[in-house]
Amino acid sequence: MYNMLSSLLATALATSLALAFPASAAGAKSAKAGRPTVQEALLRAHLAFLSSDVLEGRGTGQRGGDLTVAYLETQAMAAGLRPVSGKSYRQAVQIAGIKSLPSESSLRLEVDGAALPASFGKDWVWAPGDAQAAHALDAELVFAGYGITASEEGWNDFKGQNLKGKVLVMMVNDPQPTAEEANRFGGKALTYYGRWTYKFEEAARQGAAGVLLIHTTPSASYGWSVIQNSWDGVERFQLAQGALGTGLQGWLTDDTARALFKAAGQDLDALRAAAERKDFQPVALKAKVAGDMKAAVRRLEQFNVAGVVPGTDPKLKDEVVIYSAHWDHLGKQGTEGEAKAEAKADTIFNGAVDNASGSAALLAMAREASAHPARRSQMFLWVAAEEQGLLGSEAYASAPLWPLAKTAANLNLDSLNFIGVTRDIGAKGSERSDLGQMAAATAQAMNMVIAEAKPDLSGGYFRSDHFSFAKVGVPAFSINSGSDYLGDKAAAKAKMDAYSKRYHQASDEYDPSWDLAGMTQHAQFTLNLGRMVADAPKMPEWKAGDAFGKARSK
């Protein structure tokens, strides 16, 4: 009954919006001008609904997420998109929800048979990375430095050692630049090798039983509380299909790591210094992780939503440009009773900017693309569970609806400009491929410029859905807001500063007073760039020497 009501509600809303903004009316202005023009009124209507309390924050595994998918698929149909595969606009994503159960576990750090004092949450955190509810561990600990294998850097922290069944202890971040090698591993910028996600993936490739990362605020770029709040008493999500992680994944505080290494007769600072050199060798710690690890595991099915505008060229229509945005946010957290007890009025994390804005923009762009097809096909893809670790886009990349070898590019939207029109537009990551020159040409045609590039100190390129495409060889990046606002710059800065306090909070809500001219400009740039890619004689390629400059996967 619930699913039927959800579908009926979404269908009714789709119908009302279709009547309010029919394709012929919405595209009248652009048709007259001979080019697709994103309609601000339609974008606003979608944004207002997608960020409303009706959808309860679009949470993964929650009722609001189911409603969102129903809304998106009916809106995709209303916009004139066709299903990519078969008759459905949905692509199933199998997810495991995992919550560690420290009170039911006996997991411990041991040195010479004695347990090291370490409390879950305060000193370390852990969870299964393979979606299994129970593990019995008795595994030796090995310090693996940064845990990196990078042939282009001539770097291998493992040196061919057999690490199967071991628990690897790794540093976060990547090798720091030196006077002799100022640009190694991106210089000051963080490469993917420095991300915690890479460390977990590499441990699995090495056949390890588990991996524990040493946290420091400078190396992670955030405090221990961020780790604690993401692991302690919280359900975490991972894909339940494809390549799974190691049995144990977790983090140690720096103090816990120091105590562990000292008890094992090692100097952590000396080992850290050794790990900055190419000749580093893994070091057995004469310590181990032992005991039972228990977790509550549930499996759930979420959905990506996809629709396509077929291309007009007899040959190029077999190739596709993909526009993407994640539809999920943090959902409804806690109960109304808990909120009242804590003097809080709101339990819904609406995610208006993050990322109802991107999802709404794709819907508005899709209607224009349908009215003005390009030579290549254009796919509009709303992915699930980005907030849980890019899970929806990763699932798509592992089981694509369109051959990756015929996927020209991925242009991703995440958190659009709600402040106002800008002179510039963010295209960080586009310089890695031919998309950089195409983005610059698109900006010039709109009397804009590409925002000045700055070192990517936090590894932002690796933290949004486009990266799932880059990892399988598809040129990809996220289009971000510029910062050179027209008009009152002080007021614009104040709005941006105020939003930084609302990010991932219940207060990220839609405001009807927002001037969406900047958001419309943001969406228009993306559509224009996609159109340029879709009409180009050949598909974009990676720049020579780029870490992701490999052939597109089949």
Side-chain angles (χ1 to χ4, degrees), residues 204-274:
R205 286 190 284 267
Q206 295 296 323
V211 54
L212 293 171
L213 306 182
I214 301 173
H215 173 271
T216 69
T217 298
S219 64
S221 78
Y222 41 77
W224 178 253
S225 63
V226 174
I227 303 296
Q228 193 172 14
N229 293 339
S230 300
W231 291 69
D232 190 0
V234 176
E235 184 179 35
R236 304 176 67 249
F237 295 92
Q238 60 186 240
L239 288 179
Q241 58 192 29
L244 300 178
T246 57
L248 169 71
Q249 296 177 342
W251 292 72
L252 305 168
T253 66
D254 188 55
D255 287 344
T256 301
R258 287 183 180 280
L260 171 65
F261 279 59
K262 183 177 181 180
Q266 297 287 348
D267 183 334
L268 178 55
D269 288 332
L271 290 179
R272 278 175 165 154

Side-chain angles (χ1 to χ4, degrees), residues 19-30 39 368:
L19 290 173
F21 301 97
S24 57
K29 179 180 177 181
S30 55
Q39 302 300 303
E368 292 302 310

Side-chain angles (χ1 to χ4, degrees), residues 11-324:
T11 302
L13 288 164
T15 301
S16 63
L17 273 174
L19 290 173
F21 301 97
S24 57
K29 179 180 177 181
S30 55
K32 184 176 181 180
R35 56 185 173 82
T37 304
V38 176
Q39 302 300 303
E40 179 180 333
L42 184 57
L43 194 162
R44 183 182 293 275
H46 289 306
L47 173 61
F49 180 71
L50 286 167
S51 59
S52 70
D53 282 356
V54 173
L55 299 187
E56 299 177 343
R58 309 183 306 282
T60 297
Q62 297 183 12
R63 179 179 63 178
D66 295 339
L67 285 169
T68 302
V69 168
Y71 179 77
L72 289 173
E73 65 180 346
T74 50
Q75 284 298 315
M77 187 186 306
L81 301 183
R82 298 182 186 179
V84 181
S85 178
K87 297 181 179 180
S88 177
Y89 290 90
R90 299 188 181 199
Q91 180 190 35
V93 180
Q94 305 303 325
I95 293 177
I98 297 169
K99 185 175 182 180
S100 299
L101 299 174
S103 63
E104 299 179 21
S105 304
S106 59
L107 202 64
R108 58 198 177 275
L109 299 167
E110 280 190 5
V111 179
D112 293 331
L116 189 76
S119 300
F120 186 90
K122 177 178 175 291
D123 302 308
W124 69 326
V125 293
W126 38 259
D130 58 0
Q132 298 300 309
H135 290 80
L137 291 163
D138 188 26
E140 295 179 2
L141 289 166
V142 176
F143 177 64
Y146 282 108
I148 292 173
T149 299
S151 58
E152 71 277 13
E153 295 280 354
W155 198 278
N156 187 327
D157 280 323
F158 305 103
K159 303 299 189 294
Q161 290 193 22
N162 182 7
L163 299 170
K164 187 174 181 179
K166 311 293 186 183
V167 171
L168 307 183
V169 181
M170 297 181 182
M171 299 157 58
V172 182
N173 218 294
D174 46 29
Q176 300 303 295
T178 65
E180 296 77 20
E181 295 181 282
N183 294 317
R184 74 173 186 175
F185 286 95
K188 293 181 180 180
L190 181 69
T191 69
Y192 185 56
Y193 298 114
R195 291 278 293 151
W196 61 267
T197 49
Y198 170 82
K199 316 290 184 180
F200 286 175
E201 292 169 0
E202 188 59 41
R205 286 190 284 267
Q206 295 296 323
V211 54
L212 293 171
L213 306 182
I214 301 173
H215 173 271
T216 69
T217 298
S219 64
S221 78
Y222 41 77
W224 178 253
S225 63
V226 174
I227 303 296
Q228 193 172 14
N229 293 339
S230 300
W231 291 69
D232 190 0
V234 176
E235 184 179 35
R236 304 176 67 249
F237 295 92
Q238 60 186 240
L239 288 179
Q241 58 192 29
L244 300 178
T246 57
L248 169 71
Q249 296 177 342
W251 292 72
L252 305 168
T253 66
D254 188 55
D255 287 344
T256 301
R258 287 183 180 280
L260 171 65
F261 279 59
K262 183 177 181 180
Q266 297 287 348
D267 183 334
L268 178 55
D269 288 332
L271 290 179
R272 278 175 165 154
E276 294 291 341
R277 302 193 304 268
K278 289 184 178 181
D279 62 357
F280 169 81
Q281 295 275 348
V283 178
L285 292 180
K286 297 181 181 179
K288 64 181 181 179
V289 175
D292 294 327
M293 178 176 64
K294 301 291 181 66
V297 178
R298 68 176 176 127
R299 296 180 184 273
L300 58 149
E301 187 174 58
Q302 297 289 273
F303 296 95
N304 295 332
V305 177
V308 68
V309 178
T312 59
D313 187 277
K315 293 183 178 180
L316 295 183
K317 69 180 181 180
D318 292 335
E319 299 173 355
V320 71
V321 177
I322 299 179
Y323 308 92
S324 62

